[in-house]
């Protein structure tokens, strides 16, 4: 099942908040806010704003990080990422938590609570360094009181996988867009066969890092995942699973005279 993109000029609504998506190459989300309505976003995505709309920086006492900015109605505001892609709408039911990959969040209505959660997917190297393939922190979002709306920016096409209980899929870490909180993430490393090298050296060299995404729950995958990341020399106790590829089988074909 493919996560549908939002065509240009599509109109969305959440309560009294109205939103229209304009453009296809670098889409812009334009909001019409009534009095009492507000959205929040990263300051870098702010494109334009009405003079009547009020911008504020949330106070730590309100439970929100100063890394976000709030726009309060009445008025209009436009937000957009500074790169090509498409906008994905994520409606949230009350008390429905989801996790979003860093760099994919565009904006959300004010009733959507968020917090940065430390990533549990990591591995340590022989140099005592800790690596975080999916990012050191993940954005956790939950709608409070009523349905909320979150807009995400996908760098490519987005595809949905609804995983059954204990069903899993291997995903490139950079291509994970968002996933439900019921989904479990762990690390999987693959070790290649390298001709002419000692088996011990081959074992400690990783060729590919994967995220093992295990259900139940929904996961959405971004097709523009960037270059695959290689692992450094890893401590085997710090990841969930691994696979060592043996030498390929060789066959000899005898041609009949």
């Amino acid at each position: 099942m493919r996560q549908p993109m939002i065509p240009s000029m599509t109109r969305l609504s959440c309560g009294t908040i109205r939103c229209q998506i304009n453009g296809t190459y670098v889409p812009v989300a334009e909001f019409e806010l009534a009095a009492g309505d507000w959205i929040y976003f990263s300051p870098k995505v702010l494109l334009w704003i009405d003079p009547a709309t009020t911008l504020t920086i949330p106070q730590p006492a309100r439970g929100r990080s100063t890394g976000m900015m709030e726009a309060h109605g009445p008025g209009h505001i436009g937000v957009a990422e500074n790169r090509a892609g498409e906008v994905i709408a994520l409606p949230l039911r009350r008390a429905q938590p989801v996790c979003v990959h860093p760099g994919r969040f565009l904006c959300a209505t004010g009733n959507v609570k968020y917090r940065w959660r430390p990533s549990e997917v990591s591995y340590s190297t022989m140099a005592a360094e800790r690596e975080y393939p999916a990012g050191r922190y993940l954005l956790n979002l939950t709608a409070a009181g009523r349905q909320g709306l979150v807009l995400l920016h996908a760098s490519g096409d987005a595809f949905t996988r609804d995983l059954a209980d204990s069903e899993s899929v291997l995903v490139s870490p950079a291509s994970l867009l968002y996933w439900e909180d019921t989904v479990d993430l762990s690390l999987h490393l693959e070790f290649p066969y390298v001709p002419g090298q000692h088996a011990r050296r081959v074992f400690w060299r990783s060729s590919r890092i994967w995220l093992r995404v295990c259900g139940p729950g929904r996961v959405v995958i971004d097709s523009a995942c960037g270059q695959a990341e290689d692992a450094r020399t890893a401590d085997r106790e710090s990841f969930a699973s691994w696979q060592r590829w043996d030498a390929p089988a060789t066959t000899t074909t005898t041609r009949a005279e």
Side-chain angles (χ1 to χ4, degrees):
M1 174 177 156
R2 184 180 182 276
Q3 178 79 14
M5 66 173 292
I6 302 179
S8 180
M9 304 301 290
T10 295
R11 291 179 173 84
L12 307 172
S13 63
C14 183
T16 55
I17 297 178
R18 301 290 181 266
C19 175
Q20 179 171 291
I21 308 301
N22 291 324
T24 55
Y25 187 66
V26 183
V28 180
E30 298 180 323
F31 286 87
E32 178 184 353
L33 303 176
D37 289 337
W38 58 285
I39 64 171
Y40 63 89
F41 48 87
S42 172
K44 66 183 180 67
V45 305
L46 179 59
L47 189 63
W48 61 266
I49 187 172
D50 278 349
T53 305
T54 304
L55 293 179
T56 61
I57 301 296
Q59 299 297 321
R62 296 178 61 183
R64 295 188 179 272
S65 167
T66 54
M68 297 290 184
M69 178 177 287
E70 298 176 358
H72 294 256
H76 297 78
I77 184 173
V79 295
E81 274 287 358
N82 190 25
R83 65 180 189 272
E86 61 185 42
V87 173
I88 300 296
L90 175 57
L92 290 182
R93 300 186 301 273
R94 180 179 179 181
Q96 176 195 7
V98 298
C99 296
V100 175
H101 193 285
R104 303 297 198 270
F105 176 80
L106 183 62
C107 62
T109 54
N111 67 310
V112 176
K113 297 183 179 295
Y114 74 91
R115 63 184 178 93
W116 290 102
R117 190 176 73 182
S119 175
E120 298 178 355
V121 181
S122 66
Y123 66 93
S124 61
T125 66
M126 301 300 287
E129 297 179 359
R130 186 160 293 277
E131 305 287 342
Y132 297 89
R136 188 166 185 175
Y137 295 96
L138 307 173
L139 188 61
N140 187 270
L141 302 169
T142 307
R146 55 182 173 84
Q147 178 172 295
L149 176 65
V150 178
L151 296 185
L152 307 177
H153 181 91
S155 299
D157 292 327
F159 300 87
T160 300
R161 288 292 303 272
D162 290 311
L163 301 175
D165 191 12
S166 300
E167 183 183 7
S168 65
V169 62
L170 296 181
V171 180
S172 175
S175 67
L176 202 58
L177 185 63
Y178 77 85
W179 60 100
E180 293 181 343
D181 198 52
T182 56
V183 170
D184 180 65
L185 301 183
S186 60
L187 198 63
H188 177 77
L189 302 183
E190 290 187 348
F191 300 93
Y193 169 76
V194 181
Q197 290 194 7
H198 191 275
R200 180 177 176 83
R201 294 182 62 190
V202 174
F203 179 80
W204 289 107
R205 184 179 181 276
S206 171
S207 66
R208 187 66 188 267
I209 302 174
W210 295 97
L211 290 179
R212 184 183 294 277
V213 184
C214 186
R218 170 167 293 188
V219 58
V220 178
I221 303 167
D222 191 345
S223 64
C225 60
Q227 185 177 2
E229 182 181 358
D230 289 347
R232 300 179 184 178
T233 303
D235 172 10
R236 285 192 298 166
E237 300 301 325
S238 61
F239 57 84
S241 60
W242 60 272
Q243 181 173 358
R244 177 184 173 185
W245 293 95
D246 296 326
T250 58
T251 58
T252 303
T253 303
T254 303
R255 185 174 61 182
E257 296 296 338

